[in-house]
Amino acid sequence: LTVAAPHAAFLTALTQIPVLPLGRLTHAQLASAAAHPSHPLATSGPYHVALANDSGLNLTRNTYAVPRPSLPFLRFDFYSTFNAAAAAFTGGGADAMLATTPQQRARLMHRQGSVAHGIATFQFVDLLFNERVPGLDDPAVRRAIATAINRTAIVGGALDGSSGLQQEGAVSQGLAWIAGGAPKEVSSPAVAAELLSQAGWSVGPDGTRVRGTSALSYTLTVANVAPLPTVATELANQLAQIGVSVRVQQVPADKFVAPDVTQHDFEMALGDWDNGPDPDVSAFWRSNATPPDGVNVSGATPDPFLDQALDILASATDAQARIAAAVAVSHDLAVDTPAVFLYTPVDSYVVHSSLARTPVPSVGGSEARFADITSWHH
């Protein structure tokens, strides 16, 4: 593999590719493995595949692994719907299950003795502005909206206090080494209203602010995937307090990104993005990007300072240099306010009391629940 330019995320990206250590196999053995993908393969990992079919996966302990796994056997059952899997868990037919929404978490916790481990994901949720829309092309309006939003209320309400961490910068809280710790939110509808008044936006008869022929009345596009519609409704209620009228429009999840965002066919959008385990967010925010190499999702005008910070974040290999670049990116984005970063989604790995002492990392995405699988024990 030859990388055209320095790219710090390259090695991280490789870790997401399912590569198996097959170097000692002959050509005939490789051909056989390709012809029979469900045939167990012996690897150097902590567990071997003993059985794999449409209903589940059996793993047996690799007695030569270091460290040696505590559990001799693991069984993964496959279900086509969450409801079917949840019924198995609450009925005692499974010992652990992942929940990705507050509603899913609450349902799994109905089983007596359940324990939930929160895992901050690599995702981030933001309120995205189309800077080409009248009103939203005014930086004062975007900054006023950012000032009015109360993330604490969103996390504690729509997310039930368990399915999200407040986020103000461009980097997910799931990347704890670079995210900069918990943000210190300062929300003030009164200050936001004053910013709008100073910019010439006055409250009209219907409570919506107007300036000339433009009104601060917008459609907020959101994928119909829980809990995003509930978050969108909370945002609409908060912005109504400062005279910004928001109509929530739900769209199918597979229709949300294209053409809504990539072709800037939206006014406001509530996006749930997964940037993976690396902080390089160039694909979202590089101001001169065009699809498919990037989307400049807000349609912002060229910003060489932001682009320079993004380049350093993408190419620097020194941890401190990347942290500094991430701070610069978040600062430059805050100046222009193409979006308001709201929260990092948190998945819940719900286990029965028999696995209550299972070590589960607090960050790293849903797959992190298996990071310490060798230490699992009853």
Side-chain angles (χ1 to χ4, degrees), residues 36-132:
H36 305 284
S38 63
H39 183 74
L41 290 173
T43 72
S44 59
Y47 287 93
H48 291 320
V49 176
L51 174 68
N53 53 39
D54 291 341
S55 64
L57 176 71
N58 291 354
L59 301 180
T60 57
R61 178 167 56 197
N62 176 6
T63 57
Y64 299 101
V66 179
R68 186 172 183 267
S70 297
L71 294 180
F73 175 86
L74 290 171
R75 166 74 183 178
F76 291 86
D77 290 325
F78 301 154
Y79 296 90
S80 59
T81 66
F82 173 83
N83 288 337
F89 178 81
T90 55
D95 295 310
M97 187 173 169
L98 188 72
T100 60
T101 70
Q103 294 76 18
Q104 290 181 356
R105 183 182 186 276
R107 178 171 177 180
L108 297 182
M109 292 300 289
H110 283 161
R111 179 180 177 181
Q112 187 175 5
S114 294
V115 177
H117 299 275
I119 311 172
T121 67
F122 298 131
Q123 299 164 257
F124 64 88
V125 174
D126 63 3
L127 174 63
L128 180 65
F129 303 122
N130 185 346
E131 296 187 32
R132 303 171 185 179

Side-chain angles (χ1 to χ4, degrees), residues 27 32 41 72 100 145 181 196 228 269 276 300 336-337 351:
H27 290 295
S32 176
L41 290 173
T100 60
I145 291 175
L196 292 174
L228 295 178
D336 185 65
T337 321
V351 303

Side-chain angles (χ1 to χ4, degrees), residues 144-228:
I145 291 175
T147 303
I149 289 176
N150 187 330
R151 296 174 182 81
T152 302
I154 292 173
V155 171
L159 303 181
D160 199 28
S162 62
S163 298
L165 297 176
Q166 292 184 41
Q167 177 180 328
E168 289 187 357
V171 178
S172 165
Q173 292 291 103
L175 292 166
W177 68 278
I178 202 168
K184 296 178 175 60
E185 180 182 50
V186 179
S187 171
S188 176
V191 172
E194 181 61 24
L195 289 173
L196 292 174
S197 296
Q198 291 177 359
W201 295 93
S202 58
V203 179
D206 62 351
T208 301
R209 289 182 180 267
V210 296
R211 187 176 68 183
T213 59
S214 297
L216 299 185
S217 178
Y218 304 104
T219 296
L220 172 56
T221 304
V222 59
N224 59 352
V225 177
L228 295 178

